[in-house]
Amino acid sequence: MKKPRIRPRCPRVGPGRGLSAEPDPSPTARPAAEPETGLWVQTRIKMREGTRRAVKLHAAEHGMHMQEVIDIALRNYLNSNEAPK
């Protein structure tokens, strides 16, 4: 019989729920693009398993949530002048 996966509880996002759009400052973090101050909205995305694992590990190592890591990465990518590969 397969063991059920137990995930740690994450706070829900939304108005008045205590999550900020700005990540905790980290001495190893790269400066992000202009920080967003709007509310978090829920979305669904699919990503490769290895990418998810890397994001989760980075978030854990820096005391962040996965959504914060992805938000910073996307804002940096969108503000860069790099062409998609």
Side-chain angles (χ1 to χ4, degrees):
M1 185 170 154
K2 192 174 182 180
K3 277 180 131 178
R5 279 182 61 185
I6 299 173
R7 292 193 212 171
R9 283 196 73 145
C10 294
R12 296 279 182 184
V13 295
R17 299 241 170 100
L19 286 183
S20 165
E22 295 183 12
D24 294 332
S26 168
T28 60
R30 225 173 43 170
E34 285 293 313
E36 282 286 328
T37 56
L39 298 174
W40 288 103
V41 293
Q42 188 168 357
T43 183
R44 288 184 193 210
I45 61 168
K46 289 187 178 191
M47 67 178 70
R48 290 179 174 84
E49 185 178 339
T51 304
R52 181 182 179 279
R53 194 176 312 118
V55 170
K56 191 169 190 168
L57 179 63
H58 183 86
E61 288 173 345
H62 294 88
M64 300 169 71
H65 294 277
M66 287 178 63
Q67 69 188 30
E68 293 168 326
V69 173
I70 293 168
D71 184 61
I72 291 169
L74 286 173
R75 284 188 285 120
N76 282 331
Y77 176 77
L78 292 172
N79 288 328
S80 73
N81 292 325
E82 288 184 32
K85 296 178 182 177

